[in-house]
Amino acid sequence: MTNQNVVAVSDSKVAVSGFITAAQKPPAVPGTYITISKKKLLQNLDINSTARINSWVDSMRASSPTHINSPPPLSDDWTMNHPSALDMFERITNASKGKQIVMFMDYDGTLSPIVDDPDRAFMPEPMRATVRKLARYFPTAIVTGRCRDKVYSFVRLAELYYAGSHGMDIKGPSKGFKHNKGGESVLFQPASEYLPMIDEVYKTLLEVTRDTPGAKVENNKFCVSVHFRCVDEKKWSELAKQVGLVLEGYPDLRLTEGRKVLEIRPTIKWDKGKALEFLLESLGYANCADVFPIYIGDDRSDEDAFKVLREKGQGFGILVSKTPKDTSASYSLQEPSEVMAFLRRLVDWKRLSFRRQFRSKGRLEESKYLLTI
């Protein structure tokens, strides 16, 4: 990855990076939107599609357990391999000594509790105050599958980096903030040519899911999310069929699953792990040994970032979960309240470190003065 992928823009100007190569460009998008009846879509389902849909439903159940089929609580074996980041706080800070900590965090389920209505996933005020303090001491980014503008409306902190749509829409803080080294805002949108296609799929999904009680389709700009948190589990298979059949007409899009959400996004090789690497480069820490990234997230999509950190051997991933999961994260926290407690300890630890540095500097200056008299 090179610096030419970074586009610097002023607050009043929007620019798009030319990251996508010719081989990655999507085909021409149809200029008209065609309404397809749900009945006709379901009639066109073939055997191969059925197998794929069944696989999706199994994944939906695995990633989104209901109260009827809940997974077991955290076991001793799992917590031994993924101990609490609060319990291991001193080990984490000791490993970071002499290095610049850079914070990356998911939003839903990490900084804000999971709620039934995704439009009401507001950030609690105590968490906002904590993240504001965190950003004073460390470069801080929110990396989410949500639309960047929507997450910003929830968080309302201009000093952060925001990576929306699973990192396909990245914007840095405005000029004048402490960790904005370049003096201008960073904007990166590697999937901009897919926007018309994403918008068309969004409209189609709105149409075919309108009769499924509880289903909510969300346009996250560079991806579409179909939330099924409020859908009866008996209807999950039908919902998956509706989504799958729409997706069949768009080979340049793919489907992934999260916590009670199906997500449709471009097939380009870009994810939260790539976004983490891009942001580190934008901050001037590409291939640096003196950087210590910490990534906190609760979703399956966060695993891409956890894997990057594990492969690099830099920093740590922290999974937010009350149940055991296969993960590349090194540590765990159980819920957003524990995330806030961990962030507050980081702020207090850094503040204390600064005080010690100032005291040592003061004693050194005093010693120099005594030598001159």
Side-chain angles (χ1 to χ4, degrees):
M1 197 179 296
T2 62
N3 288 332
Q4 67 185 8
N5 293 332
V6 182
V7 178
V9 298
S10 67
D11 292 338
S12 61
K13 183 179 179 182
V14 176
V16 179
S17 167
F19 177 84
I20 300 180
T21 63
Q24 292 172 308
K25 290 182 179 179
V29 179
T32 58
Y33 157 56
I34 301 173
T35 302
I36 306 172
S37 71
K38 181 172 70 173
K39 182 177 180 181
K40 184 175 180 181
L41 280 173
L42 295 178
Q43 287 175 344
N44 290 335
L45 188 65
D46 59 23
I47 295 175
N48 291 333
S49 293
T50 301
R52 186 170 68 253
I53 297 301
N54 289 339
S55 176
W56 288 348
V57 173
D58 288 342
S59 295
M60 289 163 70
R61 291 196 176 101
S63 63
S64 312
T66 64
H67 67 282
I68 299 174
N69 186 27
S70 298
L74 298 178
S75 64
D76 291 340
D77 288 342
W78 193 89
T79 53
M80 185 178 298
N81 291 321
H82 310 284
S84 167
L86 289 170
D87 294 342
M88 296 291 107
F89 185 80
E90 287 189 10
R91 180 186 295 181
I92 294 172
T93 52
N94 286 338
S96 72
K97 285 183 178 178
K99 301 177 182 180
Q100 173 63 61
I101 292 177
V102 182
M103 296 299 303
F104 299 90
M105 296 170 289
D106 188 14
Y107 183 73
D108 295 279
T110 299
L111 298 178
S112 173
I114 296 291
V115 294
D116 290 341
D117 184 353
D119 289 333
R120 300 190 62 80
F122 304 116
M123 174 179 273
E125 195 55 46
M127 180 67 86
R128 179 178 292 105
T130 299
V131 175
R132 181 184 288 114
K133 292 177 182 177
L134 183 77
R136 292 176 187 169
Y137 295 100
F138 313 106
T140 301
I142 293 179
V143 186
T144 174
R146 295 279 205 132
C147 172
R148 174 171 56 82
D149 291 339
K150 179 172 287 187
V151 168
Y152 182 83
S153 73
F154 289 152
V155 179
R156 303 194 309 274
L157 294 175
E159 56 266 46
L160 308 184
Y161 286 81
Y162 291 87
S165 303
H166 297 283
M168 288 182 283
D169 189 9
I170 300 176
K171 192 174 189 298
S174 303
K175 58 184 178 181
F177 285 101
K178 179 177 179 181
H179 300 297
N180 185 356
K181 293 186 177 182
E184 293 184 301
S185 179
V186 174
L187 178 67
F188 185 56
Q189 297 175 328
S192 59
E193 295 185 58
Y194 289 82
L195 284 174
M197 187 183 297
I198 291 292
D199 189 56
E200 187 173 282
V201 168
Y202 167 68
K203 292 174 181 176
T204 305
L205 286 171
L206 278 178
E207 177 68 25
V208 301
T209 63
R210 65 170 50 187
D211 295 329
T212 303
K216 183 176 180 61
V217 183
E218 183 180 17
N219 189 337
N220 285 314
K221 192 169 183 176
F222 292 96
C223 62
V224 179
S225 300
V226 181
H227 299 272
F228 57 92
R229 180 167 298 277
C230 296
V231 176
D232 190 313
E233 188 175 359
K234 295 176 182 178
K235 296 285 187 179
W236 286 8
S237 181
E238 180 182 346
L239 180 64
K241 290 176 184 178
Q242 295 166 357
V243 174
L245 285 165
V246 171
L247 196 59
E248 280 187 351
Y250 298 89
D252 292 284
L253 301 178
R254 63 189 174 103
L255 183 139
T256 59
E257 305 92 15
R259 291 180 64 179
K260 287 190 167 62
V261 62
L262 296 171
E263 294 180 308
I264 295 93
R265 42 179 160 155
T267 54
I268 64 170
K269 294 182 179 179
W270 197 263
D271 51 41
K272 289 183 177 181
K274 296 288 186 183
L276 181 151
E277 292 179 308
F278 174 83
L279 285 167
L280 286 176
E281 181 178 337
S282 299
L283 287 162
Y285 295 115
N287 302 316
C288 285
D290 58 351
V291 64
F292 194 86
I294 296 177
Y295 189 107
I296 308 176
D298 72 308
D299 196 73
R300 182 179 295 184
S301 61
D302 297 311
E303 289 298 325
D304 294 314
F306 296 154
K307 289 174 184 175
V308 166
L309 294 182
R310 187 171 285 276
E311 290 169 0
K312 283 179 171 289
Q314 286 184 313
F316 294 112
I318 301 175
L319 175 68
V320 183
S321 179
K322 290 184 176 181
T323 58
K325 297 179 181 178
D326 290 333
T327 180
S328 294
S330 301
Y331 299 103
S332 65
L333 294 167
Q334 292 198 26
E335 55 191 4
S337 63
E338 288 197 355
V339 173
M340 186 167 66
F342 177 81
L343 299 181
R344 285 178 172 175
R345 286 188 67 178
L346 266 182
V347 169
D348 292 342
W349 169 77
K350 191 64 176 179
R351 186 182 291 150
L352 182 60
S353 297
F354 277 152
R355 287 176 182 170
R356 288 172 177 167
Q357 289 176 12
F358 288 139
R359 288 173 186 166
S360 297
K361 185 177 180 180
R363 285 194 294 268
L364 180 60
E365 293 298 325
E366 182 179 3
S367 298
K368 288 180 179 179
Y369 172 74
L370 292 174
L371 290 174
T372 61
I373 59 177

